[in-house]
Amino acid sequence: MSDELVLGGDLGGTSTRIVIADSEGNVVGRGAAAGGNPTSHPASAAANFGQALHAALTGLDAAAVKSAVVGMAGGVALQRPEVAAQFEAAWTGAGLRSAPQYIGDLEVAFASGTPEPDGTVLIAGTGSNVGLVRNHQLQRTAGGHGWLLGDDGSGFWLGREAVRSVLESLDLREPLGLLGQSVVQAILPGRDEHAAAQREGYDALRDQLVMTVNSRPPVMLAELAPTVITAYAQHDKTAQMLVKRAAELLTETAARLKTASDIGPMVLAGSVAGESSPVGQLIREYFAGDVRTARDGVGGATWLALGALDTALATPQTHARLVD
């Protein structure tokens, strides 16, 4: 078994990451590319997946990969034959022979936060989702319905609500606060919102914002989340309201699954739920107790691949080696 390799993948809205490891949990190959979520990036996800696979396998024998677990956000898109065919072509095109096991990003995030088999996981990054895990397998979910139908409290939600707050101010002919000014600068770089409002009128500025936002992929609104966090740190009232509401929405979603009697830790994952994020800090205050942070999603997927190859290989020691 010492010559056998395992592959872990973490395909999200922002990036695609692949890790190759030996049977002792030592990383021997890494690859990365742009977003691999086939729902939010339908035109490029499979190509990005292939690019990351090729990079990770450089100098390695792809045929030696005997177990593969790939965590994927938006994996429901693989139910469409044309999408599945694109990912299969990327896989075989990299010389891989053992079929991958595609799982949800919730399972990967939980495995990256703890080697324990049971618990709850909350992801808040570009999107948001909550899952109940038993014996390393996802049992139930809450949320995770995508930007159009859900993702409450996510980076997308923060960005959308920030833009909506700007549009409301323009409708009311109110001056823009710190967050509003930052949002305008992010969407329309170099534009002086005060001069534009006086010269062209509030309606013209509002219409240009709406037109520009609608000309881009909707998921790009998540790029405004750091703008909200920065304004929050500078005590902008609107940003503080949005951060508090995001935390409330995420804890409400988690409460659909998690009860006081649940066993195992709560694992938090994603940039919005991170330890340095004010949203994540509020969530941690709410749940308290055994709350852990997902360290490396692709490491968690690789650890699960080790367990799929041989359960005896999925030890706390190999877990620490891959995710810390």
Side-chain angles (χ1 to χ4, degrees):
M1 188 175 293
S2 59
D3 294 331
E4 294 182 334
L5 302 177
V6 299
L7 180 151
D10 186 16
L11 280 59
T14 303
S15 66
T16 297
R17 296 187 299 148
I18 302 295
V19 158
I20 312 294
D22 64 21
S23 59
E24 296 181 351
N26 300 304
V27 175
V28 296
R30 292 184 183 273
N37 181 330
T39 297
S40 60
H41 300 284
S44 59
N48 292 337
F49 182 43
Q51 179 182 337
L53 288 172
H54 280 280
L57 289 164
T58 300
L60 300 174
D61 179 10
V65 175
K66 302 300 182 183
S67 174
V69 173
V70 179
M72 178 186 295
V76 66
L78 289 181
Q79 296 178 12
R80 304 206 309 268
E82 66 277 14
V83 176
Q86 291 173 357
F87 273 79
E88 174 66 16
W91 186 260
T92 57
L96 292 157
R97 300 175 183 176
S98 297
Q101 177 188 1
Y102 291 107
I103 63 175
D105 53 348
L106 285 167
E107 291 163 280
V108 167
F110 184 78
S112 74
T114 176
E116 296 184 26
D118 306 318
T120 311
V121 56
L122 183 157
I123 295 178
T126 300
S128 63
N129 204 352
V130 180
L132 190 67
V133 177
R134 293 292 180 266
N135 194 27
H136 301 297
Q137 296 184 344
L138 192 63
Q139 299 297 307
R140 289 179 56 201
T141 65
H145 307 309
W147 65 267
L148 182 61
L149 300 175
D151 284 347
D152 294 338
S154 67
F156 170 84
W157 184 92
L158 283 170
R160 184 192 64 190
E161 294 305 306
V163 175
R164 292 180 68 178
S165 72
V166 172
L167 298 177
E168 181 178 342
S169 294
L170 293 174
D171 284 344
L172 295 173
R173 304 299 196 266
E174 295 177 347
L176 300 181
L178 174 63
L179 176 61
Q181 295 174 38
S182 299
V183 167
V184 172
Q185 285 297 311
I187 297 174
L188 303 171
R191 189 180 180 89
D192 184 328
E193 69 282 349
H194 295 298
Q198 294 176 357
R199 182 177 65 254
E200 305 168 15
Y202 286 90
D203 291 345
L205 178 57
R206 179 197 62 195
D207 292 346
Q208 187 168 4
L209 284 169
V210 170
M211 180 178 65
T212 302
V213 169
N214 282 312
S215 69
R216 303 171 178 173
V219 73
M220 288 185 67
L221 282 172
E223 295 178 355
L224 292 173
T227 302
V228 178
I229 301 303
T230 298
Y232 173 92
Q234 297 174 330
H235 309 292
D236 179 89
K237 291 184 178 179
T238 301
Q240 291 180 332
M241 177 189 68
L242 292 180
V243 164
K244 180 181 178 181
R245 183 56 182 154
E248 290 173 347
L249 289 169
L250 290 167
T251 53
E252 287 169 7
T253 303
R256 299 178 203 166
L257 297 182
K258 183 173 175 60
T259 66
S261 61
D262 278 338
I263 58 175
M266 161 72 84
V267 173
L268 301 183
S271 58
V272 175
E275 292 174 312
S276 62
S277 164
V279 178
Q281 292 165 6
L282 290 172
I283 296 171
R284 284 168 175 79
E285 290 176 9
Y286 178 87
F287 285 110
D290 190 1
V291 180
R292 307 186 189 185
T293 302
R295 298 299 178 188
D296 188 349
V298 71
T302 310
W303 186 72
L304 290 174
L306 272 176
L309 181 64
D310 185 337
T311 56
L313 299 175
T315 65
Q317 291 74 28
T318 55
H319 183 272
R321 197 170 295 150
L322 287 165
V323 305
D324 289 347

